[in-house]
Amino acid sequence: SQKIEQNSEALNIQEGKTATLTCNYTNYSPAYLQWYRQDPGRGPVFLLLIRENEKEKRKERLKVTFDTTLKQSLFHITASQPADSATYLCALAQSGGSYIPTFGRGTSLIVHP
Amino acid sequence: DAGVTQSPTHLIKTRGQQVTLRCSPISGHKSVSWYQQVLGQGPQFIFQYYEKEERGRGNFPDRFSARQFPNYSSELNVNALLLGDSALYLCASSLEGVRGRNSPLHFGNGTRLTVT
């Protein structure tokens, strides 16, 4: 069966360090992968999209990598700040018909001052 | 510009009742998707509509139905509510439908439904 796995344990890091979040998937042929940020009581907010033929995407302090051989995406936040504390969701869209994004459960990031 | 708006923000219903949730997409967006998010889980896909036509349906029972209006707003209906339907219901709009590979989802802040 298709699975999207994100670490259920919260990631705690110190301000200024680089946070790295992982998204692993099985039994998908992804057309693209997206990362969203979700704050408590709010809807997810889109951050980055990376296509199946792209290896890396950057936006300001954010970087996403996509390895279709390892079936893994890494999401990096450099120079992290307490305001970056949130839950980060990855979402995959299956190619070959349905491009509707399927979400992982998300990983909570806590940045300590 | 207004983002995606959902109403009501909170709702308490009793088992067996019916509920209607409403969503207004971002101006210019023709696609609306509905997701259910249970505490501690990621959003689960329920429906997608594009240009008033259903373009996708998730693994939810027939008690769940939706529609999209000519102004692209949408309603999600849930009949015969169960305790397990308690969740945050999220609406998202996008420029394109399911075949729009470059269209990220823009979410509202959801309707918190509690079934007692």
Side-chain angles (χ1 to χ4, degrees):
Chain A
S1 62
Q2 294 180 321
K3 283 186 183 178
I4 301 170
E5 294 179 338
Q6 294 186 259
N7 197 338
S8 58
E9 288 185 15
L11 176 64
N12 286 271
I13 65 167
Q14 211 62 34
E15 182 176 9
K17 300 293 186 184
T18 296
T20 298
L21 305 173
T22 304
C23 176
N24 295 303
Y25 60 91
T26 53
N27 296 321
Y28 271 97
S29 295
Y32 59 82
L33 185 146
Q34 301 173 333
W35 283 89
Y36 290 78
R37 168 185 172 141
Q38 187 172 25
D39 292 285
R42 313 277 289 185
V45 174
F46 171 76
L47 297 174
L48 281 168
L49 178 151
I50 186 165
R51 298 181 184 85
E52 78 277 13
N53 59 349
E54 297 176 319
K55 296 292 185 187
E56 183 179 299
K57 208 73 166 290
R58 290 175 185 260
K59 179 182 175 184
E60 297 172 352
R61 295 185 296 114
L62 309 179
K63 184 178 85 171
V64 173
T65 63
F66 196 11
D67 189 329
T68 54
T69 301
L70 289 179
K71 299 187 186 301
Q72 181 181 78
S73 174
L74 298 178
F75 178 78
H76 306 272
I77 305 175
T78 58
S80 60
Q81 305 164 2
D84 295 325
S85 299
T87 296
Y88 291 86
L89 300 157
C90 75
L92 273 78
Q94 173 76 11
S95 63
S98 168
Y99 291 95
I100 297 171
T102 301
F103 284 81
R105 64 183 299 169
T107 297
S108 175
L109 171 66
I110 302 169
V111 181
H112 299 276
Chain B
D1 280 346
V4 175
T5 57
Q6 293 187 242
S7 63
T9 55
H10 294 83
L11 205 49
I12 299 175
K13 290 285 190 177
T14 304
R15 275 178 298 177
Q17 287 188 317
Q18 175 265 340
V19 68
T20 297
L21 311 180
R22 295 177 175 83
C23 172
S24 292
I26 291 172
S27 178
H29 285 193
K30 298 181 178 180
S31 177
V32 168
S33 300
W34 287 95
Y35 285 81
Q36 180 197 66
Q37 187 174 26
V38 174
L39 197 62
Q41 300 296 319
Q44 298 294 309
F45 172 71
I46 310 176
F47 287 108
Q48 185 179 83
Y49 277 78
Y50 179 70
E51 290 276 19
K52 295 170 287 179
E53 289 188 7
E54 182 183 302
R55 290 297 183 90
R57 172 185 284 253
N59 188 24
F60 280 80
D62 292 343
R63 299 184 295 107
F64 289 77
S65 63
R67 56 181 175 168
Q68 187 177 33
F69 299 98
N71 66 353
Y72 303 112
S73 67
S74 178
E75 285 182 353
L76 175 71
N77 294 283
V78 187
N79 293 323
L81 285 166
L82 303 173
L83 294 180
D85 295 331
S86 296
L88 181 67
Y89 288 84
L90 294 162
C91 173
S93 73
S94 59
L95 275 171
E96 302 173 53
V98 294
R99 295 173 186 84
R101 299 179 66 178
N102 298 319
S103 293
L105 297 174
H106 299 264
F107 285 89
N109 287 324
T111 294
R112 172 70 63 187
L113 173 65
T114 302
V115 182
T116 61

